[in-house]
């Protein structure tokens, strides 16, 4: 069973706020899931070289060049921004 | 002629013979949805104006050009995690409640080009995480065969819409079983194609190394028609496979066929009625001259654990984009000047419980000190599972299994125990981890509840499993 502190730490890394009740609920549920996936330790993986396997699937790449998008496309994206000022998206102060 | 029960082929023939106009057909289906979907909740959004407009244009074009595109007048539902320009795409989540898609997914573009018309967006488990559609932020979908039961998930709205004759076909997405399992529960056909054959551009990402869009249809023939249109290379998807890799089926008759029956899929715990129907389906093929062979897929036992590391890990990375800044729900944080508070609260309010669970499990599995023990190990087991299948396919052409251990379960029955829900995917995740294609095709009913046979094929032999499924339908 993972501790309450661990749940709080994971939630913070995951950027999800939890209240005390949720911490208790997820402590129980996450522990059950983690116990279940533990069984993967039984599998012998010593002979697997991932580099060989992954070599088969090839990524499609393109030239590292700017793709021109229309203003209309850009304004559609800006319409989705929750908070903006002068056509810039606005956030709280970072530094 | 019952116009509300047409296959894609029948729509095309009906238009050729001028039995109805596209506008008449569209109005009829919209009315049917309005009248009946309140009991099912298959659709989250109906594109009434857009579809009527497109119907009128199609009728005009047919009158003018005298030729009818393959999918003219074909009406379809789109899982609400696939983007249709100018239409909502919520992914079943509060965090995207007001999100309007700024562009078309590649598969939508291809279908529209053939004249198909989007009727609406269908319900799903939030971000496609679930096996019952109960995890939708907008209420569960009911199984049209029995309103007290789930339609399966996560593409439950799509499967229920096709089974209810609300549309001619629907699109779903399959990450661990999300097309095949609801297709099985609702008694329709569902294809999870080989990874890389259908572009993922415009699909809201869950687990990028597993996600694949596919058709949910009334017949195997329709499934092939839609698959042939949506498949193919796409520069906008970095894991898109070359179209040349797809292999045409070399199966002419059932006599050419060697069917593998993996003993690990016929274990205790399978519903007796399901088992009986699967065995009967296998016998039908044997009667037609197919050979069957018992095979062993040793790692089946570990597939689900492997899947529930890879899926949450990739999900946690993919869902990091929902931050309350760029789009989607943003929490009211007027009394705070902390940016972190915007992230924490927006995601607390926007995500449902299953999404929170998976994002946290994934964050844990990828965090410093745990990566090798979880994600890297799971990737290696995935490679072993792939090898398991490769070995099996040296002896057999296709593999037959049940899609799920039971028919559709009751609404609420598995909602309180996440692990119990995960077990619904036990027969569908293995093939998915191997990246290989699988189709669910109806093979009978247990007490009025549909059961699907799963036909699994080799990588890029999607055509072959479709062909093999056709024999059962005949």
């Amino acid at each position: 069973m993972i501790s309450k502190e661990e749940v709080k730490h994971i939630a913070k890394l995951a950027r999800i706020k939890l209240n005390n009740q949720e911490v208790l609920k997820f402590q129980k549920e996450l522990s059950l899931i983690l116990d279940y996936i533990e069984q993967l330790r039984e599998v012998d993986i010593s002979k697997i070289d991932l580099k060989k396997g992954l070599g088969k699937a090839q990524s499609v790449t393109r030239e590292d060049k700017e793709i021109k998008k229309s203003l209309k496309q850009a304004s559609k994206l800006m319409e989705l921004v929750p908070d903006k000022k002068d056509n810039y998206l606005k956030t709280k102060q970072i530094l | 002629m019952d116009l509300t029960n047409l296959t894609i082929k029948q729509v095309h023939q009906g238009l050729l013979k001028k039995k109805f106009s596209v506008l008449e057909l569209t109005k009829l289906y919209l009315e049917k949805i309005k009248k009946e979907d309140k009991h099912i909740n298959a659709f989250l959004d109906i594109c009434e104006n857009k579809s009527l407009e497109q119907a009128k244009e199609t009728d005009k074009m047919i009158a003018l050009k005298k030729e009818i595109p393959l999918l003219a007048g074909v009406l379809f539902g789109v899982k609400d995690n696939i983007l249709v320009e100018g239409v909502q795409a919520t992914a079943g989540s509060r965090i995207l409640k007001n999100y309007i898609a700024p562009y078309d997914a590649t598969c939508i573009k291809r279908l529209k080009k053939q004249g198909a018309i989007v009727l609406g967006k269908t319900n799903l488990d939030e971000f496609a995480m679930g096996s019952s559609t109960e995890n939708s932020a907008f209420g569960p979908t009911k199984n049209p065969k029995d309103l007290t039961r789930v339609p399966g998930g996560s593409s439950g709205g799509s499967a229920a819409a096709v089974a209810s004759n609300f549309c001619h076909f629907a699109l779903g997405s399959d990450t661990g079983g999300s097309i095949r399992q609801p297709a099985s529960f609702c008694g329709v056909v569902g294809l999870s194609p080989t990874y890389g054959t259908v572009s993922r551009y415009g699909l809201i990402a869950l687990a990028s190394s597993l996600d694949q869009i596919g058709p949910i249809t009334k017949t195997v023939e329709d499934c092939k028609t839609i698959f042939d249109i949506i498949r193919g290379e796409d520069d906008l998807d970095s894991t898109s496979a070359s179209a040349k890799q797809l292999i045409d089926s070399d199966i002419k008759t059932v006599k050419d066929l060697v069917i593998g029956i993996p003993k690990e899929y016929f274990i205790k715990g399978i519903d007796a009625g399901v088992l009986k129907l699967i065995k009967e389906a296998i016998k039908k093929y044997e009667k037609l001259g197919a050979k069957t062979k018992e095979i062993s897929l040793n790692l089946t036992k570990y597939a689900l654990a492997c899947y529930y590391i890879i899926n949450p890990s990739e999900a946690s990375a993919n869902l990091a984009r929902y931050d309350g800044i760029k789009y989607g729900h943003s929490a009211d944080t007027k009394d705070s000047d902390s940016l972190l508070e915007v992230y924490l609260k927006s995601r607390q309010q926007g995500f449902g419980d299953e999404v929170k669970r998976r994002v946290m499990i994934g964050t844990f599995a990828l965090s410093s000190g745990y990566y090798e023990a979880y994600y890297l190990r799971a990737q290696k087991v995935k490679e072993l599972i792939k090898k398991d299948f490769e070995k099996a396919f040296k002896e057999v052409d296709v593999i037959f299994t049940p899609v799920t251990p039971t028919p559709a379960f009751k609404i609420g029955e598995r909602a309180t125990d996440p692990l119990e829900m995960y077990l619904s995917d036990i027969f569908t995740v293995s093939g998915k981890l191997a990246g290989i294609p699988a189709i669910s095709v109806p093979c009978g009913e247990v007490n009025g509840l549909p059961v699907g046979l799963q036909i699994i094929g080799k990588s890029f032999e999607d055509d072959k499993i479709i062909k093999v499924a056709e024999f059962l339908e005949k």
Side-chain angles (χ1 to χ4, degrees), chain B residues 24-74:
Chain B
E24 279 166 5
L25 206 58
T26 310
K27 279 184 177 164
L28 194 69
Y29 277 77
L30 285 170
E31 258 168 53
K32 187 174 164 77
I33 293 170
K34 267 187 205 162
K35 219 166 57 194
E36 296 172 25
D37 195 37
K38 48 181 181 267
H39 309 296
I40 309 280
N41 197 30
F43 282 96
L44 293 178
D45 186 32
I46 305 295
C47 310
E48 184 165 2
N49 294 336
K50 273 183 202 285
S51 58
L52 288 173
E53 209 175 288
Q54 212 188 328
K56 280 181 208 158
E57 272 170 35
T58 313
D59 279 332
K60 249 191 242 166
M61 192 204 46
I62 291 172
L64 207 70
K65 280 196 182 166
K66 312 274 178 213
E67 61 181 73
I68 299 171
L70 191 60
L71 298 185
V74 173

Side-chain angles (χ1 to χ4, degrees), chain B residues 5 26 60 62 67 99 109 128 147 163 186 214 236 239 264 291 371 381 406 414-415:
Chain B
N5 188 19
T26 310
K60 249 191 242 166
I62 291 172
E67 61 181 73
Y99 181 80
K109 244 186 210 156
L147 298 180
C186 293
L236 297 169
T239 56
E264 289 83 358
K291 290 176 199 71
Y371 175 78
V381 175
T406 66
R414 297 186 187 177

Side-chain angles (χ1 to χ4, degrees), chain A residues 2 6-7 9-19 22 25-26 29-34 36-50 52-54 56-62 67 69 72-73 76-78 80-83 89-94, chain B residues 85 98-100 102-103 201 237-238 240 299 301-302 304-306 308-309 324-328 330 333-334 336-345 347-348 351 353 356-357 359-361 363-364 367 370 373-374 376-381 383-384 387 390 418-419 422-423:
Chain A
I2 51 171
E6 278 175 300
V7 174
H9 177 63
I10 298 166
K12 196 182 170 195
L13 287 176
R15 299 288 186 258
I16 296 170
K17 196 172 195 136
L18 299 181
N19 60 35
E22 285 171 318
K25 173 179 144 73
F26 286 122
E29 290 173 354
L30 298 186
S31 296
L32 279 173
I33 297 167
L34 288 171
Y36 181 77
I37 59 186
E38 276 301 311
Q39 56 171 300
L40 224 53
R41 287 186 192 277
E42 297 165 16
V43 186
D44 175 14
I45 51 163
S46 59
K47 291 197 187 95
I48 288 293
D49 181 359
L50 274 185
K52 273 189 196 156
L54 291 174
K56 276 189 238 159
Q58 288 201 341
S59 250
V60 180
T61 54
R62 62 168 176 86
I67 299 174
K69 296 253 171 167
K72 205 177 130 201
Q73 192 77 11
K76 267 190 207 160
L77 295 177
M78 281 311 291
L80 295 165
V81 174
D83 195 7
L89 63 86
K90 195 176 145 196
T91 71
K92 293 188 192 295
Q93 197 172 342
I94 294 169
Chain B
E85 191 180 335
N98 298 314
Y99 181 80
I100 303 293
Y103 59 88
Y201 183 69
D237 174 0
S238 69
S240 168
L299 286 144
K301 188 183 155 201
Y302 298 105
L304 203 64
C306 178
Y308 276 101
I309 293 174
I325 305 286
K326 298 186 287 292
Y327 49 80
S330 190
T333 52
K334 277 194 195 87
S336 161
D337 53 10
S338 151
L339 180 63
L340 182 64
E341 198 63 14
V342 180
Y343 301 154
L344 291 172
K345 273 199 178 156
R347 291 161 70 81
Q348 178 187 34
F351 289 153
D353 279 355
K356 286 176 183 165
R357 273 191 290 273
V359 168
M360 284 195 279
I361 289 286
T363 303
F364 175 74
S367 63
Y370 293 100
Y374 289 103
L376 197 63
R377 174 170 280 269
Q379 283 295 342
K380 288 183 176 176
V381 175
E383 208 52 37
L384 282 169
K387 283 191 175 75
E390 275 167 18
L419 268 178
Y422 293 176
L423 287 170

